[in-house]
PDB file of all heavy atoms in Angstrom:
ATOM      1  N   SER Y 115      -8.692 -21.626 -17.500  1.00 92.00           N
ATOM      2  CA  SER Y 115      -9.311 -20.512 -18.221  1.00 92.00           C
ATOM      3  C   SER Y 115      -8.248 -19.646 -18.905  1.00 92.00           C
ATOM      4  O   SER Y 115      -8.426 -19.216 -20.051  1.00 92.00           O
ATOM      5  CB  SER Y 115     -10.117 -19.683 -17.223  1.00 92.00           C
ATOM      6  OG  SER Y 115     -10.351 -18.420 -17.707  1.00 92.00           O
ATOM      7  N   CYS Y 116      -7.127 -19.426 -18.181  1.00 92.00           N
ATOM      8  CA  CYS Y 116      -6.033 -18.612 -18.769  1.00 92.00           C
ATOM      9  C   CYS Y 116      -5.426 -19.321 -19.978  1.00 92.00           C
ATOM     10  O   CYS Y 116      -5.041 -18.668 -20.958  1.00 92.00           O
ATOM     11  CB  CYS Y 116      -4.926 -18.379 -17.742  1.00 92.00           C
ATOM     12  SG  CYS Y 116      -5.482 -17.486 -16.322  1.00 92.00           S
ATOM     13  N   MET Y 117      -5.328 -20.653 -19.879  1.00 92.00           N
ATOM     14  CA  MET Y 117      -4.720 -21.402 -20.992  1.00 92.00           C
ATOM     15  C   MET Y 117      -5.637 -21.417 -22.217  1.00 92.00           C
ATOM     16  O   MET Y 117      -5.182 -21.370 -23.357  1.00 92.00           O
ATOM     17  CB  MET Y 117      -4.411 -22.834 -20.542  1.00 92.00           C
ATOM     18  CG  MET Y 117      -3.142 -22.932 -19.717  1.00 92.00           C
ATOM     19  SD  MET Y 117      -2.722 -24.622 -19.422  1.00 92.00           S
ATOM     20  CE  MET Y 117      -3.348 -24.863 -17.806  1.00 92.00           C
ATOM     21  N   LEU Y 118      -6.952 -21.493 -21.964  1.00 91.00           N
ATOM     22  CA  LEU Y 118      -7.900 -21.571 -23.081  1.00 91.00           C
ATOM     23  C   LEU Y 118      -8.161 -20.212 -23.739  1.00 91.00           C
ATOM     24  O   LEU Y 118      -8.535 -20.146 -24.913  1.00 91.00           O
ATOM     25  CB  LEU Y 118      -9.235 -22.148 -22.591  1.00 91.00           C
ATOM     26  CG  LEU Y 118      -9.221 -23.610 -22.137  1.00 91.00           C
ATOM     27  CD1 LEU Y 118     -10.596 -24.020 -21.643  1.00 91.00           C
ATOM     28  CD2 LEU Y 118      -8.790 -24.524 -23.284  1.00 91.00           C
ATOM     29  N   MET Y 119      -7.957 -19.150 -22.949  1.00 91.00           N
ATOM     30  CA  MET Y 119      -8.332 -17.811 -23.422  1.00 91.00           C
ATOM     31  C   MET Y 119      -7.719 -17.421 -24.772  1.00 91.00           C
ATOM     32  O   MET Y 119      -8.436 -16.916 -25.644  1.00 91.00           O
ATOM     33  CB  MET Y 119      -7.978 -16.779 -22.361  1.00 91.00           C
ATOM     34  CG  MET Y 119      -8.897 -15.583 -22.341  1.00 91.00           C
ATOM     35  SD  MET Y 119      -8.382 -14.426 -21.086  1.00 91.00           S
ATOM     36  CE  MET Y 119      -8.951 -15.222 -19.615  1.00 91.00           C
ATOM     37  N   PRO Y 120      -6.425 -17.674 -25.000  1.00 91.00           N
ATOM     38  CA  PRO Y 120      -5.867 -17.272 -26.304  1.00 91.00           C
ATOM     39  C   PRO Y 120      -6.519 -18.003 -27.473  1.00 91.00           C
ATOM     40  O   PRO Y 120      -6.604 -17.451 -28.567  1.00 91.00           O
ATOM     41  CB  PRO Y 120      -4.386 -17.653 -26.194  1.00 91.00           C
ATOM     42  CG  PRO Y 120      -4.117 -17.773 -24.737  1.00 91.00           C
ATOM     43  CD  PRO Y 120      -5.394 -18.214 -24.117  1.00 91.00           C
ATOM     44  N   TRP Y 121      -6.982 -19.236 -27.258  1.00 90.00           N
ATOM     45  CA  TRP Y 121      -7.579 -20.010 -28.359  1.00 90.00           C
ATOM     46  C   TRP Y 121      -9.084 -19.765 -28.485  1.00 90.00           C
ATOM     47  O   TRP Y 121      -9.589 -19.531 -29.559  1.00 90.00           O
ATOM     48  CB  TRP Y 121      -7.331 -21.511 -28.147  1.00 90.00           C
ATOM     49  CG  TRP Y 121      -5.931 -21.897 -28.473  1.00 90.00           C
ATOM     50  CD1 TRP Y 121      -5.388 -22.100 -29.718  1.00 90.00           C
ATOM     51  CD2 TRP Y 121      -4.859 -22.073 -27.553  1.00 90.00           C
ATOM     52  NE1 TRP Y 121      -4.052 -22.401 -29.609  1.00 90.00           N
ATOM     53  CE2 TRP Y 121      -3.707 -22.398 -28.303  1.00 90.00           C
ATOM     54  CE3 TRP Y 121      -4.763 -21.992 -26.174  1.00 90.00           C
ATOM     55  CZ2 TRP Y 121      -2.476 -22.642 -27.717  1.00 90.00           C
ATOM     56  CZ3 TRP Y 121      -3.539 -22.231 -25.583  1.00 90.00           C
ATOM     57  CH2 TRP Y 121      -2.409 -22.545 -26.346  1.00 90.00           C
ATOM     58  N   LEU Y 122      -9.778 -19.826 -27.349  1.00 91.00           N
ATOM     59  CA  LEU Y 122     -11.242 -19.739 -27.403  1.00 91.00           C
ATOM     60  C   LEU Y 122     -11.761 -18.305 -27.311  1.00 91.00           C
ATOM     61  O   LEU Y 122     -12.928 -18.051 -27.577  1.00 91.00           O
ATOM     62  CB  LEU Y 122     -11.856 -20.568 -26.273  1.00 91.00           C
ATOM     63  CG  LEU Y 122     -11.593 -22.073 -26.320  1.00 91.00           C
ATOM     64  CD1 LEU Y 122     -12.226 -22.752 -25.115  1.00 91.00           C
ATOM     65  CD2 LEU Y 122     -12.144 -22.674 -27.600  1.00 91.00           C
ATOM     66  N   GLY Y 123     -10.913 -17.405 -26.906  1.00 91.00           N
ATOM     67  CA  GLY Y 123     -11.357 -16.028 -26.714  1.00 91.00           C
ATOM     68  C   GLY Y 123     -11.895 -15.822 -25.313  1.00 91.00           C
ATOM     69  O   GLY Y 123     -12.152 -16.785 -24.581  1.00 91.00           O
ATOM     70  N   PHE Y 124     -12.066 -14.563 -24.959  1.00 90.00           N
ATOM     71  CA  PHE Y 124     -12.450 -14.256 -23.584  1.00 90.00           C
ATOM     72  C   PHE Y 124     -13.876 -14.702 -23.273  1.00 90.00           C
ATOM     73  O   PHE Y 124     -14.151 -15.238 -22.195  1.00 90.00           O
ATOM     74  CB  PHE Y 124     -12.309 -12.748 -23.342  1.00 90.00           C
ATOM     75  CG  PHE Y 124     -12.345 -12.399 -21.894  1.00 90.00           C
ATOM     76  CD1 PHE Y 124     -11.190 -12.390 -21.138  1.00 90.00           C
ATOM     77  CD2 PHE Y 124     -13.548 -12.128 -21.259  1.00 90.00           C
ATOM     78  CE1 PHE Y 124     -11.219 -12.109 -19.790  1.00 90.00           C
ATOM     79  CE2 PHE Y 124     -13.588 -11.847 -19.914  1.00 90.00           C
ATOM     80  CZ  PHE Y 124     -12.417 -11.836 -19.182  1.00 90.00           C
TER      81      PHE Y 124
END
Side-chain angles (χ1 to χ4, degrees):
Chain Y
S115 160
C116 298
M117 281 188 261
L118 293 178
M119 211 181 284
W121 284 281
L122 297 178
F124 194 88

